[in-house]
Amino acid sequence: MLGTIIFNLIGAFIIIGGILFAVIWYLRHTKVEYDDGVDAMPVINKTSTQDLVLLCIRSIGAYLRQDFANQNLSEVDFNNKVAAKKRLRNAIAQATYGDPESKAIIREYIKSIITTNAELRVSEGNIEDYIPFSSPDALKPQDKFLLLLAGYQRSYGAGAMDQMFKEAGWAASMTTNITDEMVVELYDHALDYDFCNHNGITTGLLDFTYDEKLDFLSQTILQNMYGLGVPDRLFEMDIDEIDIGVSGIPSGSFQIGSFLKNAKHSFDAIWIMYHGYNVHLSVLSCGSEEELERICDNAYKYNAPHVLSEKEGYVISSMKNGSRVVVVRPKLSDKYALFVRKFDSAPSVAPEKLIVGPGSEMVRIMSEWFVRGERNIAITGQQATGKTTMLKSFIGWIENLNIRVQEIAAELNLSFTYPEKNIVALQETDTVDAQEGLNVQKKMNGAVNIIGEVANAIQASHIIQTANVASRFAMFTHHAKSSAALVNMIALNLLQIGLYKEKRDAVEISAQTLNINIHLENTDSYRHIEYIDEIIPVTDEKYYSEKLEEAGVIKPEDYTEQMHWLDARDYYTRITDRHLFEVNNLLKWNRIPGDKDPRHGFYTLEHMPSDEMLYAMRNILTTPQLKEKFDQDMLKIQEIDKQIREEYKQYIASTTPDLT
């Protein structure tokens, strides 16, 4: 018994001695620097940007952990330090949401740290050890691209990328070097030879002052700490969409054979939508799968309905600037991916910018009166045709009417585009569905209802509700390929949810509700209105004998047995397969035969709106002046059409002779 106790004591002493030896060895072999009494921090003796990132992470972390109560400060100094710490914490939280002011605050902290640290002090003499600004051949393609972007940003702000693409010639080359998938690749060699070694250097675009170099270095550090990685700068640009992680092989998913060793991974995939073109920025990369996941985890959190997890494989949210964010992850998807759709300002969605080409004035005039005449309007087309942007544009014509919006997730952001208008937008939550939102809207003094996108049966029923009850008119977007398909699909949706039991009833209510279909196309990345149709419900069609009698061909006493059978056939046709609506093609876009450029075409007026619609629109107008302007514009449309037909007579005759 005694021997066992002694043996245990000896073992305990050996273990304790080993621990003490390890601690003493670590303290003797680790150099420690103290920063004004703040937590000890190991010194890094290298010269890479990543070392500066580690330095800033540790310095800011140490600063945020300080306890000012033990520093014998005056009340004023204590309050100032507490306020500064609080401001920094808030800036860090907001920077991950893409807030530019918060990022500016953190950049100032970073600059202070890297220019005052004893071991890694960045100065004018050594800043190029981290980024070789003056040696283009030593720069990585990624750094070249971001430096060029920063150079343009000095003069053009959010429009920097657009200007860069134009001056570099990349924008012009998109119309000729495009692939079948409408994808443009921006490779390393394009960056080097087409622009950087010529325009960038010779024009002084890459001549940065020390302060500008320090700003760029601080931004590089920030985006790796609290920002959105390499794509961080892109979120500040006027770009339609930014997609990350959408191409390439999912890292770590499979054992990659030797034949795919040089294949791109999903973390290398950074794409943008530039004026309708999908542009793969091959020169940019997130760098690693871990960084891609970090970017995805940070981007959606500002207004997130729930946390992104393996169980909840996607999140639809928004950034602080109103951009829509969609994030997906395995197992729902094969890889982490991020989709950010930027919102537009009122000038960027002006109709005169979106509706262009010969005869476009007819389209703008007619579309404006459809809105002012309070028609129920569907804007249809496939993805990437600009439906949402066109819908936003039409909102500009709504005057003195309260607008209410219902969406699955915030996407339209109309309050950003039109801050002066009376707009309230609702979106679905975990506890409040869209139907409850619509019920609430009925008590919110709304006059116009907007449904962002009708993508399922429930939303289709919302359109029928909002267009017929508690609002003056409604507008929405849909993926239908034709006006007939639009009516029939809405009717099918109504049948699916049991709102109607008979197809005829569902089609009738759909045709009566939907007045105008404006269909958009994206032809080789040229987004335009393809046609505008009026949907006319067939509610009361006369029988054969009634038509003859009305025309004065026969009298009631002339009714024959043959007419009886014709009327009977008409009757049975109506109750089995009756024609419930007609499509009146109002305007259409005509391509010039033989011309490969989709931008070369013209609009023609095929038919005027029906008398019933013209009467209803004119009756809505409240003043004699508006009614007179409406009448003048209807005549003006026809005059413009005559001019267009005369100018393009040869093309019209070669494609559709019946038009002449």
Side-chain angles (χ1 to χ4, degrees), residues 367 370-371 375-381 387 390-391 394 449 451-452 454 463 467 473-480 482-483 485-487 490 510 513-520 529 531-535:
S367 298
F370 288 148
V371 175
R375 300 300 87 195
N376 294 323
I377 301 171
I379 299 178
T380 61
K387 298 185 300 297
M390 190 66 70
L391 177 59
F394 284 14
N449 273 94
I451 305 293
V454 175
I463 278 296
F473 69 104
M475 294 195 291
F476 65 100
T477 66
H478 195 281
H479 290 293
S482 68
S483 297
L486 172 66
V487 175
I490 296 292
S510 298
T513 302
L514 308 174
N515 303 137
I516 296 295
N517 176 29
I518 298 176
H519 188 78
L520 276 57
I529 292 176
Y531 59 80
I532 298 179
D533 286 343
E534 175 189 2
I535 299 169

Side-chain angles (χ1 to χ4, degrees), residues 235-292:
F235 292 95
E236 300 174 4
M237 300 293 106
D238 286 337
I239 308 172
D240 297 338
E241 185 159 342
I242 302 168
D243 299 337
I244 302 171
V246 294
S247 63
I249 299 171
S251 180
S253 298
F254 305 98
Q255 289 293 328
I256 300 175
S258 58
F259 65 97
L260 286 176
K261 285 296 183 182
N262 296 322
K264 289 279 189 177
H265 289 85
S266 56
F267 58 75
D268 295 316
I270 299 177
W271 296 64
I272 63 171
M273 178 72 75
Y274 175 79
H275 298 319
Y277 290 93
N278 284 312
V279 182
H280 184 193
L281 300 178
S282 306
V283 295
L284 301 183
S285 170
C286 295
S288 67
E289 182 68 19
E290 291 75 18
E291 178 68 355
L292 172 61

Side-chain angles (χ1 to χ4, degrees), residues 47 258 346 475 564 613 633:
T47 55
S258 58
M475 294 195 291
H564 169 76
M613 176 165 287
D633 279 350

Side-chain angles (χ1 to χ4, degrees), residues 203-223:
T203 61
L205 186 68
L206 297 177
D207 292 339
F208 293 97
T209 65
Y210 169 65
D211 287 338
E212 289 172 337
K213 293 177 182 178
L214 194 58
D215 283 336
F216 186 87
L217 180 58
S218 300
Q219 167 62 28
T220 303
I221 296 169
L222 166 66
Q223 66 194 28

